[in-house]
Amino acid sequence: PKGELEQVGETGESGEYNVYSTFQSHEPDFDYLKSLEIEEKINKIRWLSQQNAAHFLLSTNDKTIKLWKVSERDKQPEGYNLKDEEGRMKDISTVTSLQVPVLRPTDLMVEVRPRRVFSNGHTYHVNSISVNSDGETYLSADDLRINMWHLGITDRSFNIVDIKPANMEELTEVITAAEFHPHHCHLFVYSSSKGTLRLCDMRASALCDKHTKLFEEPEDPGSRSFFSEIVSSVSDVKFSHNGRYLLTRDYLTAKVWDLHMEKGPVETYQVHDYLRTKLCSLYENDCIFDKFECVWNSSDSVIMTGAYNSFFRMFDRETGRGVTLEAWRETSKPRAVLRTRRIYTGGKRRRGDVGVDSLDFTKKILHMAWHPEENIIAIASTNNLYIFQDRVSPDTHGPDLGSNTI
Amino acid sequence: MEYKVEAHRIMSISLGKIYNSRVQRGGIKLHKNLLVSLVLRSARQVYLRDYYGGICLSAQQAREWCEGEYMDSEQDRLVPGSTESLPESDGQSEVAVDKQEPSIVVESHAALDVESEARGEQDHAENGVLDSGCSELKTPESPEASPTCEVSNVVTTISSNCISGPPPSNPKQATETPNDCQTDSESVEENSHEPIVPHTCTNRKRSADDSELTDSLPKRTKVMSPTLISKNDEKKAETEEMDTSNVSSLITIFGSSFSGLLSSEDGAQPDSEAEDSDSGQICCDQMLKNLNPWSTAIVAF
């Protein structure tokens, strides 16, 4: 979440990861009309499906989305007739024979070039981007609107959702995340600050303000507090790979929803319920506004999300059990096996248990990714990227993971 | 009682966040401000409920508070937002936001002041005007007071003031800084035995967005002010009226370029920003209650 994007490189035999490429995606900008500074901070990155040797990705800050092409070059033509090694023009009189330039292998060079810049599409802060399964379009969502773009066209976008009230005084909720369905290019979902999900079908109308389905869980009146609204705001929404479920994250829980059942989630996982009594302090220090992401594994049998103190949580959907793991340099040597951690919330205290009051709230795991096919996960914490992979069986899931730190 | 303290603390924290959001890099975040305003509203409801010893807020009132004055000052210039509050202000005599029970007339300045303190802005003209009406209260003078400090000052002064009898209501003062105060409506009868001061010095401020919108709105407010004043005169010690706090100072805090928002009887119209900065004019605890949480958040937009 700085202006830079880092890409993780290939592993060698030892399974070590190295930085592949680093580039500055966005620069700080200034909106002169509103006298507002636009941060260069990247809010979201999404890869496109690979079509050829190059990789494409979309990155966005608060206002502008950019399409980047990442390509490798490991060969270089040599032996030009008119230019010398440094590219300077040769004196023709010195050329006595002709040669055919040949491609010679060189050190790997990674080139990252901006291919498109999609600007001026959003009045509010962009929080999500999602590439459509058609490979041609993508959506971008800000607090009040969702736009659909064509990857090749930068001067136009379609507005597909607009929840801005005519009278801003009547505003009660904002859009917090949005994603296209993995298979159906006409379906997308967006989440709101009220904890609701709306599934929209673009075939129904040009402007999808009316949802096709509304997913909402009635509030539990017993748990009402000053901060009920904040903790129910959805910070991330992800379709399962099979397209049948939705995974959402709010401040304290992760929920799995069945697309066919709107009245409530089918599974609810407590990520760090011990924080429920600490909401006032977390409100004071702004931690309650942290936006955690959540991810599915490749087979949709495990979900994962981050927490504080460099902890992250994995939940096995079949058993319903959760495990706490730690992404922390001190305890993770390369190829070390991750061990599970526990938060002490009462009862018998075991060695290694961490007390709630000793949690470090500055070490938060907000961003993470699970390899689309294998059991390799990437966890981002403050200044480090951790990559864990399942050594025992790359195709199964489980907490027995080896680690790599970058 | 603990709830009240807690609610009060949360309110002041929320105000501080809203203030800080104005100066943070990248502009004001709509989502976060919306959430903070919701917390502010919840805390205020609890605070008021507690304060009035369990007298319930009518749902209507609660709803009207929440009907919120979100203003997108950057995107949409002014929305004729506080149309709700204006009509409410119109019927001052019957008022009560929902035209039901009479409510305690409250000055909205406390809330405004808290906010203005939070912002650290000052407007001396405002100060002068408001001082006259809220003479019993000591108000902190330093505009740099932190929101928390300000709030605690408010609380102290308010408590002392509330014990005393009805404050001298100053119609002039009420008009000079017209502010639509909105409070819970409480029935006078119910509270008559309690040492609750029916403050009748109502201040009416037009919402920043209103004023900015058109001239007709300002005129409207002006017209209402005299009505309000006269009614206030009538109902001084006995009447509890509910003022609508259209857009509390929070809105004006954020609505940066509104000027001449306040319509007053004598034509004194300090800047909307000015009215916020009126530090020191905290008249009573109830002003805090008049905070319209909605106004806070969306202001910047």
mmCIF file of all heavy atoms in Angstrom, chain B residues 140-183:
data_model
loop_
_atom_site.group_PDB
_atom_site.id
_atom_site.type_symbol
_atom_site.label_atom_id
_atom_site.label_comp_id
_atom_site.label_asym_id
_atom_site.label_seq_id
_atom_site.Cartn_x
_atom_site.Cartn_y
_atom_site.Cartn_z
ATOM 1 N N PRO B 140 -14.932 28.421 27.821
ATOM 2 C CA PRO B 140 -13.492 28.505 27.557
ATOM 3 C C PRO B 140 -13.229 29.449 26.400
ATOM 4 O O PRO B 140 -13.956 29.458 25.436
ATOM 5 C CB PRO B 140 -13.089 27.087 27.195
ATOM 6 C CG PRO B 140 -14.341 26.372 26.925
ATOM 7 C CD PRO B 140 -15.450 27.096 27.577
ATOM 8 N N GLU B 141 -12.241 30.192 26.563
ATOM 9 C CA GLU B 141 -11.961 31.196 25.550
ATOM 10 C C GLU B 141 -10.988 30.733 24.495
ATOM 11 O O GLU B 141 -10.948 31.208 23.401
ATOM 12 C CB GLU B 141 -11.389 32.459 26.218
ATOM 13 C CG GLU B 141 -12.415 33.215 27.032
ATOM 14 C CD GLU B 141 -13.620 33.587 26.202
ATOM 15 O OE1 GLU B 141 -13.450 33.886 25.002
ATOM 16 O OE2 GLU B 141 -14.722 33.584 26.740
ATOM 17 N N SER B 142 -10.180 29.831 24.905
ATOM 18 C CA SER B 142 -9.127 29.491 23.959
ATOM 19 C C SER B 142 -9.668 28.617 22.851
ATOM 20 O O SER B 142 -10.266 27.592 23.077
ATOM 21 C CB SER B 142 -7.994 28.763 24.661
ATOM 22 O OG SER B 142 -8.332 27.411 24.799
ATOM 23 N N PRO B 143 -9.490 29.054 21.702
ATOM 24 C CA PRO B 143 -9.975 28.288 20.560
ATOM 25 C C PRO B 143 -9.157 27.044 20.297
ATOM 26 O O PRO B 143 -9.529 26.208 19.527
ATOM 27 C CB PRO B 143 -9.835 29.258 19.386
ATOM 28 C CG PRO B 143 -8.760 30.193 19.815
ATOM 29 C CD PRO B 143 -8.804 30.277 21.306
ATOM 30 N N GLU B 144 -8.081 26.974 20.953
ATOM 31 C CA GLU B 144 -7.252 25.814 20.672
ATOM 32 C C GLU B 144 -7.569 24.660 21.593
ATOM 33 O O GLU B 144 -6.915 23.653 21.591
ATOM 34 C CB GLU B 144 -5.759 26.141 20.834
ATOM 35 C CG GLU B 144 -5.220 27.092 19.799
ATOM 36 C CD GLU B 144 -5.616 28.517 20.110
ATOM 37 O OE1 GLU B 144 -5.561 28.905 21.294
ATOM 38 O OE2 GLU B 144 -5.975 29.246 19.194
ATOM 39 N N ALA B 145 -8.558 24.884 22.370
ATOM 40 C CA ALA B 145 -8.874 23.795 23.296
ATOM 41 C C ALA B 145 -9.166 22.536 22.514
ATOM 42 O O ALA B 145 -9.797 22.558 21.490
ATOM 43 C CB ALA B 145 -10.086 24.180 24.138
ATOM 44 N N SER B 146 -8.692 21.495 23.026
ATOM 45 C CA SER B 146 -8.954 20.244 22.328
ATOM 46 C C SER B 146 -10.413 19.907 22.499
ATOM 47 O O SER B 146 -11.055 20.360 23.423
ATOM 48 C CB SER B 146 -8.100 19.136 22.910
ATOM 49 O OG SER B 146 -8.571 18.843 24.206
ATOM 50 N N PRO B 147 -10.907 19.128 21.632
ATOM 51 C CA PRO B 147 -12.318 18.753 21.735
ATOM 52 C C PRO B 147 -12.643 18.151 23.083
ATOM 53 O O PRO B 147 -13.663 18.440 23.666
ATOM 54 C CB PRO B 147 -12.504 17.722 20.634
ATOM 55 C CG PRO B 147 -11.409 18.001 19.683
ATOM 56 C CD PRO B 147 -10.277 18.585 20.463
ATOM 57 N N THR B 148 -11.764 17.368 23.566
ATOM 58 C CA THR B 148 -12.068 16.714 24.823
ATOM 59 C C THR B 148 -12.153 17.738 25.932
ATOM 60 O O THR B 148 -13.045 17.710 26.753
ATOM 61 C CB THR B 148 -10.972 15.692 25.148
ATOM 62 O OG1 THR B 148 -10.768 14.876 24.000
ATOM 63 C CG2 THR B 148 -11.369 14.870 26.337
ATOM 64 N N CYS B 149 -11.195 18.613 25.947
ATOM 65 C CA CYS B 149 -11.210 19.630 26.988
ATOM 66 C C CYS B 149 -12.468 20.451 26.880
ATOM 67 O O CYS B 149 -13.116 20.748 27.859
ATOM 68 C CB CYS B 149 -9.998 20.549 26.844
ATOM 69 S SG CYS B 149 -8.454 19.688 27.063
ATOM 70 N N GLU B 150 -12.766 20.787 25.690
ATOM 71 C CA GLU B 150 -13.935 21.620 25.476
ATOM 72 C C GLU B 150 -15.174 20.931 25.990
ATOM 73 O O GLU B 150 -16.013 21.485 26.632
ATOM 74 C CB GLU B 150 -14.078 21.927 23.988
ATOM 75 C CG GLU B 150 -15.284 22.782 23.680
ATOM 76 C CD GLU B 150 -15.225 24.123 24.379
ATOM 77 O OE1 GLU B 150 -14.132 24.513 24.804
ATOM 78 O OE2 GLU B 150 -16.271 24.761 24.493
ATOM 79 N N VAL B 151 -15.253 19.727 25.673
ATOM 80 C CA VAL B 151 -16.444 18.998 26.076
ATOM 81 C C VAL B 151 -16.556 18.963 27.572
ATOM 82 O O VAL B 151 -17.608 19.156 28.152
ATOM 83 C CB VAL B 151 -16.397 17.581 25.497
ATOM 84 C CG1 VAL B 151 -17.462 16.724 26.131
ATOM 85 C CG2 VAL B 151 -16.594 17.650 23.997
ATOM 86 N N SER B 152 -15.450 18.728 28.195
ATOM 87 C CA SER B 152 -15.541 18.639 29.650
ATOM 88 C C SER B 152 -15.907 19.984 30.225
ATOM 89 O O SER B 152 -16.631 20.083 31.197
ATOM 90 C CB SER B 152 -14.243 18.118 30.243
ATOM 91 O OG SER B 152 -13.162 18.842 29.704
ATOM 92 N N ASN B 153 -15.422 21.017 29.602
ATOM 93 C CA ASN B 153 -15.825 22.340 30.067
ATOM 94 C C ASN B 153 -17.305 22.520 29.901
ATOM 95 O O ASN B 153 -17.992 23.058 30.748
ATOM 96 C CB ASN B 153 -15.094 23.427 29.263
ATOM 97 C CG ASN B 153 -13.668 23.571 29.740
ATOM 98 O OD1 ASN B 153 -13.386 23.293 30.902
ATOM 99 N ND2 ASN B 153 -12.789 23.986 28.853
ATOM 100 N N VAL B 154 -17.737 22.065 28.792
ATOM 101 C CA VAL B 154 -19.163 22.197 28.535
ATOM 102 C C VAL B 154 -19.941 21.489 29.609
ATOM 103 O O VAL B 154 -20.900 21.994 30.152
ATOM 104 C CB VAL B 154 -19.511 21.598 27.161
ATOM 105 C CG1 VAL B 154 -21.011 21.596 26.958
ATOM 106 C CG2 VAL B 154 -18.818 22.382 26.075
ATOM 107 N N VAL B 155 -19.499 20.339 29.904
ATOM 108 C CA VAL B 155 -20.238 19.548 30.877
ATOM 109 C C VAL B 155 -20.293 20.257 32.198
ATOM 110 O O VAL B 155 -21.329 20.367 32.832
ATOM 111 C CB VAL B 155 -19.572 18.177 31.038
ATOM 112 C CG1 VAL B 155 -20.275 17.389 32.111
ATOM 113 C CG2 VAL B 155 -19.628 17.433 29.723
ATOM 114 N N THR B 156 -19.172 20.751 32.608
ATOM 115 C CA THR B 156 -19.152 21.395 33.918
ATOM 116 C C THR B 156 -20.057 22.588 33.935
ATOM 117 O O THR B 156 -20.874 22.748 34.808
ATOM 118 C CB THR B 156 -17.745 21.884 34.268
ATOM 119 O OG1 THR B 156 -16.857 21.433 33.263
ATOM 120 C CG2 THR B 156 -17.355 21.432 35.628
ATOM 121 N N THR B 157 -19.862 23.412 32.925
ATOM 122 C CA THR B 157 -20.659 24.625 32.954
ATOM 123 C C THR B 157 -22.129 24.318 32.796
ATOM 124 O O THR B 157 -22.982 24.945 33.360
ATOM 125 C CB THR B 157 -20.215 25.575 31.838
ATOM 126 O OG1 THR B 157 -20.231 24.850 30.607
ATOM 127 C CG2 THR B 157 -18.823 26.092 32.114
ATOM 128 N N ILE B 158 -22.370 23.347 32.015
ATOM 129 C CA ILE B 158 -23.765 23.015 31.792
ATOM 130 C C ILE B 158 -24.408 22.537 33.070
ATOM 131 O O ILE B 158 -25.504 22.922 33.421
ATOM 132 C CB ILE B 158 -23.882 21.933 30.717
ATOM 133 C CG1 ILE B 158 -23.579 22.559 29.367
ATOM 134 C CG2 ILE B 158 -25.261 21.333 30.740
ATOM 135 C CD1 ILE B 158 -23.516 21.568 28.271
ATOM 136 N N SER B 159 -23.707 21.676 33.735
ATOM 137 C CA SER B 159 -24.305 21.149 34.952
ATOM 138 C C SER B 159 -24.679 22.269 35.871
ATOM 139 O O SER B 159 -25.760 22.309 36.428
ATOM 140 C CB SER B 159 -23.338 20.222 35.660
ATOM 141 O OG SER B 159 -22.578 19.535 34.718
ATOM 142 N N SER B 160 -23.766 23.188 36.016
ATOM 143 C CA SER B 160 -24.063 24.269 36.943
ATOM 144 C C SER B 160 -25.230 25.088 36.448
ATOM 145 O O SER B 160 -26.068 25.525 37.208
ATOM 146 C CB SER B 160 -22.828 25.152 37.133
ATOM 147 O OG SER B 160 -22.463 25.698 35.886
ATOM 148 N N ASN B 161 -25.258 25.245 35.186
ATOM 149 C CA ASN B 161 -26.317 26.068 34.656
ATOM 150 C C ASN B 161 -27.665 25.381 34.752
ATOM 151 O O ASN B 161 -28.691 25.992 34.924
ATOM 152 C CB ASN B 161 -26.013 26.420 33.193
ATOM 153 C CG ASN B 161 -26.919 27.506 32.704
ATOM 154 O OD1 ASN B 161 -27.143 28.472 33.417
ATOM 155 N ND2 ASN B 161 -27.449 27.333 31.529
ATOM 156 N N CYS B 162 -27.616 24.132 34.592
ATOM 157 C CA CYS B 162 -28.882 23.441 34.555
ATOM 158 C C CYS B 162 -29.561 23.420 35.903
ATOM 159 O O CYS B 162 -30.760 23.270 36.002
ATOM 160 C CB CYS B 162 -28.691 22.014 34.039
ATOM 161 S SG CYS B 162 -28.330 21.989 32.296
ATOM 162 N N ILE B 163 -28.774 23.553 36.881
ATOM 163 C CA ILE B 163 -29.387 23.524 38.204
ATOM 164 C C ILE B 163 -30.109 24.835 38.467
ATOM 165 O O ILE B 163 -31.094 24.903 39.157
ATOM 166 C CB ILE B 163 -28.324 23.295 39.293
ATOM 167 C CG1 ILE B 163 -27.583 21.992 38.982
ATOM 168 C CG2 ILE B 163 -28.967 23.237 40.663
ATOM 169 C CD1 ILE B 163 -28.490 20.799 38.926
ATOM 170 N N SER B 164 -29.572 25.826 37.893
ATOM 171 C CA SER B 164 -30.188 27.132 38.130
ATOM 172 C C SER B 164 -31.506 27.207 37.402
ATOM 173 O O SER B 164 -31.882 26.317 36.673
ATOM 174 C CB SER B 164 -29.250 28.231 37.640
ATOM 175 O OG SER B 164 -29.071 28.098 36.250
ATOM 176 N N GLY B 165 -32.132 28.283 37.610
ATOM 177 C CA GLY B 165 -33.441 28.407 36.983
ATOM 178 C C GLY B 165 -33.325 28.671 35.510
ATOM 179 O O GLY B 165 -32.251 28.586 34.934
ATOM 180 N N PRO B 166 -34.399 28.991 34.950
ATOM 181 C CA PRO B 166 -34.389 29.258 33.516
ATOM 182 C C PRO B 166 -33.423 30.388 33.216
ATOM 183 O O PRO B 166 -33.381 31.359 33.940
ATOM 184 C CB PRO B 166 -35.824 29.700 33.202
ATOM 185 C CG PRO B 166 -36.624 29.277 34.379
ATOM 186 C CD PRO B 166 -35.701 29.102 35.537
ATOM 187 N N PRO B 167 -32.682 30.214 32.249
ATOM 188 C CA PRO B 167 -31.705 31.233 31.928
ATOM 189 C C PRO B 167 -32.415 32.445 31.373
ATOM 190 O O PRO B 167 -33.527 32.332 30.867
ATOM 191 C CB PRO B 167 -30.844 30.578 30.861
ATOM 192 C CG PRO B 167 -31.778 29.640 30.197
ATOM 193 C CD PRO B 167 -32.747 29.180 31.247
ATOM 194 N N PRO B 168 -31.779 33.505 31.499
ATOM 195 C CA PRO B 168 -32.390 34.696 30.896
ATOM 196 C C PRO B 168 -32.455 34.492 29.403
ATOM 197 O O PRO B 168 -31.449 34.290 28.762
ATOM 198 C CB PRO B 168 -31.425 35.815 31.249
ATOM 199 C CG PRO B 168 -30.146 35.131 31.591
ATOM 200 C CD PRO B 168 -30.497 33.782 32.090
ATOM 201 N N SER B 169 -33.577 34.506 28.933
ATOM 202 C CA SER B 169 -33.654 34.257 27.512
ATOM 203 C C SER B 169 -33.537 35.563 26.800
ATOM 204 O O SER B 169 -34.129 36.555 27.163
ATOM 205 C CB SER B 169 -34.967 33.564 27.195
ATOM 206 O OG SER B 169 -35.763 34.393 26.408
ATOM 207 N N ASN B 170 -32.747 35.518 25.856
ATOM 208 C CA ASN B 170 -32.459 36.754 25.161
ATOM 209 C C ASN B 170 -32.864 36.609 23.711
ATOM 210 O O ASN B 170 -32.162 36.023 22.924
ATOM 211 C CB ASN B 170 -30.958 37.054 25.265
ATOM 212 C CG ASN B 170 -30.633 38.387 24.655
ATOM 213 O OD1 ASN B 170 -31.414 38.954 23.906
ATOM 214 N ND2 ASN B 170 -29.456 38.886 24.986
ATOM 215 N N PRO B 171 -33.948 37.102 23.444
ATOM 216 C CA PRO B 171 -34.454 36.936 22.080
ATOM 217 C C PRO B 171 -33.500 37.509 21.066
ATOM 218 O O PRO B 171 -33.303 36.967 20.001
ATOM 219 C CB PRO B 171 -35.778 37.700 22.059
ATOM 220 C CG PRO B 171 -35.996 38.187 23.446
ATOM 221 C CD PRO B 171 -34.816 37.889 24.276
ATOM 222 N N LYS B 172 -32.926 38.555 21.410
ATOM 223 C CA LYS B 172 -32.002 39.166 20.457
ATOM 224 C C LYS B 172 -30.871 38.206 20.167
ATOM 225 O O LYS B 172 -30.488 37.960 19.053
ATOM 226 C CB LYS B 172 -31.466 40.457 21.058
ATOM 227 C CG LYS B 172 -30.409 41.156 20.205
ATOM 228 C CD LYS B 172 -30.170 42.551 20.732
ATOM 229 C CE LYS B 172 -29.173 43.286 19.864
ATOM 230 N NZ LYS B 172 -27.803 42.824 20.084
ATOM 231 N N GLN B 173 -30.419 37.721 21.214
ATOM 232 C CA GLN B 173 -29.301 36.806 21.040
ATOM 233 C C GLN B 173 -29.731 35.581 20.267
ATOM 234 O O GLN B 173 -29.041 35.045 19.449
ATOM 235 C CB GLN B 173 -28.770 36.406 22.406
ATOM 236 C CG GLN B 173 -27.811 35.236 22.353
ATOM 237 C CD GLN B 173 -28.402 34.051 23.048
ATOM 238 O OE1 GLN B 173 -29.031 34.217 24.084
ATOM 239 N NE2 GLN B 173 -28.264 32.884 22.504
ATOM 240 N N ALA B 174 -30.909 35.229 20.512
ATOM 241 C CA ALA B 174 -31.376 34.037 19.824
ATOM 242 C C ALA B 174 -31.407 34.252 18.333
ATOM 243 O O ALA B 174 -31.132 33.369 17.554
ATOM 244 C CB ALA B 174 -32.760 33.664 20.331
ATOM 245 N N THR B 175 -31.721 35.413 17.981
ATOM 246 C CA THR B 175 -31.834 35.633 16.553
ATOM 247 C C THR B 175 -30.495 35.888 15.897
ATOM 248 O O THR B 175 -30.305 35.608 14.743
ATOM 249 C CB THR B 175 -32.722 36.848 16.265
ATOM 250 O OG1 THR B 175 -32.140 37.974 16.936
ATOM 251 C CG2 THR B 175 -34.106 36.619 16.782
ATOM 252 N N GLU B 176 -29.646 36.400 16.644
ATOM 253 C CA GLU B 176 -28.402 36.789 15.999
ATOM 254 C C GLU B 176 -27.660 35.601 15.457
ATOM 255 O O GLU B 176 -27.021 35.668 14.430
ATOM 256 C CB GLU B 176 -27.516 37.543 16.981
ATOM 257 C CG GLU B 176 -27.972 38.961 17.125
ATOM 258 C CD GLU B 176 -27.215 39.656 18.226
ATOM 259 O OE1 GLU B 176 -26.396 38.997 18.871
ATOM 260 O OE2 GLU B 176 -27.437 40.847 18.417
ATOM 261 N N THR B 177 -27.747 34.582 16.179
ATOM 262 C CA THR B 177 -27.099 33.401 15.630
ATOM 263 C C THR B 177 -28.139 32.335 15.492
ATOM 264 O O THR B 177 -28.215 31.419 16.285
ATOM 265 C CB THR B 177 -25.993 32.899 16.557
ATOM 266 O OG1 THR B 177 -26.558 32.705 17.840
ATOM 267 C CG2 THR B 177 -24.903 33.931 16.618
ATOM 268 N N PRO B 178 -28.917 32.499 14.546
ATOM 269 C CA PRO B 178 -30.009 31.543 14.399
ATOM 270 C C PRO B 178 -29.447 30.154 14.231
ATOM 271 O O PRO B 178 -28.611 29.906 13.398
ATOM 272 C CB PRO B 178 -30.718 31.990 13.125
ATOM 273 C CG PRO B 178 -29.749 32.864 12.441
ATOM 274 C CD PRO B 178 -28.875 33.449 13.478
ATOM 275 N N ASN B 179 -29.896 29.340 15.025
ATOM 276 C CA ASN B 179 -29.409 27.984 14.930
ATOM 277 C C ASN B 179 -30.557 27.062 15.215
ATOM 278 O O ASN B 179 -31.265 27.212 16.200
ATOM 279 C CB ASN B 179 -28.301 27.781 15.958
ATOM 280 C CG ASN B 179 -27.704 26.414 15.803
ATOM 281 O OD1 ASN B 179 -27.832 25.806 14.753
ATOM 282 N ND2 ASN B 179 -27.087 25.938 16.836
ATOM 283 N N ASP B 180 -30.714 26.192 14.369
ATOM 284 C CA ASP B 180 -31.820 25.282 14.608
ATOM 285 C C ASP B 180 -31.381 24.197 15.545
ATOM 286 O O ASP B 180 -30.617 23.317 15.205
ATOM 287 C CB ASP B 180 -32.268 24.653 13.294
ATOM 288 C CG ASP B 180 -32.833 25.725 12.402
ATOM 289 O OD1 ASP B 180 -33.352 26.698 12.940
ATOM 290 O OD2 ASP B 180 -32.711 25.595 11.187
ATOM 291 N N CYS B 181 -31.854 24.325 16.707
ATOM 292 C CA CYS B 181 -31.482 23.318 17.670
ATOM 293 C C CYS B 181 -32.506 22.216 17.648
ATOM 294 O O CYS B 181 -33.691 22.446 17.511
ATOM 295 C CB CYS B 181 -31.455 23.901 19.082
ATOM 296 S SG CYS B 181 -30.366 25.313 19.172
ATOM 297 N N GLN B 182 -32.020 21.119 17.791
ATOM 298 C CA GLN B 182 -32.941 20.005 17.825
ATOM 299 C C GLN B 182 -32.650 19.199 19.059
ATOM 300 O O GLN B 182 -31.538 18.814 19.334
ATOM 301 C CB GLN B 182 -32.737 19.148 16.581
ATOM 302 C CG GLN B 182 -33.687 17.999 16.532
ATOM 303 C CD GLN B 182 -33.601 17.314 15.192
ATOM 304 O OE1 GLN B 182 -33.098 17.874 14.253
ATOM 305 N NE2 GLN B 182 -34.082 16.097 15.125
ATOM 306 N N THR B 183 -33.623 18.980 19.755
ATOM 307 C CA THR B 183 -33.399 18.207 20.962
ATOM 308 C C THR B 183 -34.434 17.145 21.049
ATOM 309 O O THR B 183 -35.387 17.095 20.283
ATOM 310 C CB THR B 183 -33.557 19.062 22.230
ATOM 311 O OG1 THR B 183 -34.916 19.424 22.316
ATOM 312 C CG2 THR B 183 -32.713 20.304 22.117
#
